Amino acid sequence: MGAMPPSSAEPDLASWVAALLGGQRRALAKAITLTESTRPDDEVRAQQLLAQLPEARGSIRLGLTGVPGVGKSTFIEALGMFLAELGHKVAVLAVDPSSARTGGSIMGDKTRMPRLTVHPNAFIRPSPSGGTLGGVARRTRETIALCEAAGYDVLLIETVGVGQSETHVAAMTDLFVLLTLPNAGDELQGIKRGIMELADICVVNKADTDPKAAIRAQTELRTALTLLTPHDAPWRPLALRASALTGEGIAELWAAVQDYVAQLDLGAKRRSQTALWFDELLREAAWRAFREGLDMRELARLRAEVDGGRITAVQGVAALMK
Ligand code: GDP
């Protein structure tokens, strides 16, 4: 092995990994930026870096969702501050496919969480811009791995609560929290049944605005969750009340999260998530390798044929594989 001259990038990568494992923010931020890059040489380097990270243990990955205005950023700031003050290291990430298309970002504005942004125990990363939902979700998974390697033990992953990003986030988190409002029906809140089914904990936020309505909403949610949950489910989803503004209910939510972690075999859940991640990475790697030998003009021609209805999609792919 000593005969092999080291590649010029290696010593740099090693010290970068060391800085990252030591919890240095700059190293972490740079590593996340690298994994978000779509340049082929950056992709290779990102994979080299990620391959050096040990598997994180003992962290909690929490997905949070709810319609715009429900109070997600206020809630995440309140929960994040509560945890940071307890001595946890908290990382806040966002998955926002709409920002991927528009270039804006739900997390772009750091003033949304002014206190948490400056807390030494917190790290806030805006949603990556550019790319497809799949791409944004993949990079979020890698960002989770990087944050955990840097010592962050609570990951709060926010989604906008209106699209498909929830399914992606549920597939990379330990538990999923849905925020709702005291004074609106399900339709008004835009809650899709599918999102309710993903929720391990529902929280009626803004309980301070109308405490009675909040109790009613909590009872309704509890009934809905009972109906949605199979009898043999390992966890009965909870309905809680909170106020992100006053901090009421934040400690109760955290206690529920800890109950969840104590009761469920997170190891098994994570292993199956990791297996899915492996499948995704493999598909991507296979596609990259396949693409290199591909006649892109022929691909474009066949795609136009399919688009024009002259051949079927199946025929187009069959022609390409020949
Ligand atoms: P997001 O769009 O889901 O991120 O919602 P925001 O966190 O930006 O909150 C929307 C508005 O609701 C802001 O004006 C917040 O101050 C307010 N808000 C959030 N949580 C609460 C709460 O628990 N009680 C009250 N009264 N207002 C809240």
Side-chain angles (χ1 to χ4, degrees):
M1 284 197 195
M4 285 267 288
S7 112
S8 63
E10 267 167 28
D12 180 31
L13 192 67
S15 55
W16 190 351
V17 171
L20 180 69
L21 295 179
Q24 286 181 29
R25 284 160 173 278
R26 248 180 68 80
L28 173 59
K30 263 180 64 183
I32 296 173
T33 303
L34 183 70
T35 62
E36 288 174 357
S37 167
T38 49
R39 281 178 42 181
D41 53 335
D42 282 347
E43 281 179 5
V44 171
R45 218 162 135 65
Q47 292 310 316
Q48 285 172 347
L49 190 143
L50 287 161
Q52 307 232 354
L53 304 182
E55 201 183 319
R57 295 188 194 283
S59 63
I60 297 181
R61 304 170 186 166
L62 207 70
L64 290 118
T65 196
V67 293
V70 73
K72 289 181 296 300
S73 39
T74 314
F75 194 88
I76 289 172
E77 167 148 280
L79 176 61
M81 285 299 291
F82 172 79
L83 295 171
E85 289 295 304
L86 284 179
H88 287 287
K89 286 191 76 184
V90 183
V92 180
L93 315 174
V95 176
D96 180 4
S98 61
S99 82
R101 260 173 261 123
T102 61
S105 169
I106 53 168
M107 295 290 296
D109 183 3
K110 286 205 170 179
T111 60
R112 294 202 329 144
M113 299 174 196
R115 289 181 303 145
L116 198 58
T117 302
V118 295
H119 198 289
N121 280 351
F123 178 84
I124 300 183
R125 182 72 183 191
S127 178
S129 62
T132 59
L133 170 56
V136 171
R138 172 177 64 74
R139 285 174 282 173
T140 302
R141 188 136 34 184
E142 290 171 353
T143 301
I144 292 172
L146 289 166
C147 289
E148 289 176 345
Y152 289 87
D153 65 326
V154 182
L155 288 284
L156 304 178
I157 301 144
E158 178 186 6
T159 69
V160 279
V162 286
Q164 294 201 307
S165 42
E166 285 65 39
T167 324
H168 284 263
V169 170
M172 59 178 95
T173 52
D174 299 320
L175 79 168
F176 200 67
V177 176
L178 171 67
L179 298 184
T180 65
L181 293 167
N183 273 316
D186 287 359
E187 319 81 60
L188 265 183
Q189 299 196 17
I191 302 172
K192 308 222 167 56
R193 189 189 146 104
I195 294 181
M196 276 274 277
E197 280 171 350
L198 293 174
D200 300 297
I201 301 175
C202 288
V203 180
V204 182
N205 188 39
K206 304 197 187 183
D208 60 293
T209 58
D210 190 342
K212 281 195 184 132
I215 291 173
R216 268 200 308 278
Q218 182 187 18
T219 309
E220 283 167 17
L221 268 176
R222 199 171 275 151
T223 309
L225 288 169
T226 304
L227 292 173
L228 282 174
T229 312
H231 285 297
D232 56 353
W235 170 261
R236 326 251 8 124
L238 299 173
L240 306 175
R241 271 174 294 139
S243 165
L245 210 59
T246 68
E248 175 206 340
I250 297 288
E252 287 75 6
L253 169 70
W254 185 242
V257 169
Q258 285 178 307
D259 273 353
Y260 182 93
V261 172
Q263 283 181 39
L264 271 78
D265 183 358
L266 287 189
K269 187 167 183 178
R270 287 214 181 164
R271 278 193 298 280
S272 67
Q273 290 177 344
T274 309
L276 280 177
W277 188 14
F278 174 82
D279 293 346
E280 268 173 45
L281 288 174
L282 187 63
R283 254 198 305 278
E284 271 180 38
W287 167 245
R288 271 203 301 274
F290 176 71
R291 193 178 53 187
E292 277 175 17
L294 205 60
D295 181 346
M296 294 313 270
R297 300 243 301 272
E298 178 65 358
L299 172 64
R301 189 187 68 76
L302 285 166
R303 204 167 190 290
E305 292 285 295
V306 174
D307 196 38
R310 290 179 290 279
I311 58 172
T312 66
V314 174
Q315 288 165 344
V317 171
L320 198 63
M321 298 313 268
K322 274 210 209 109

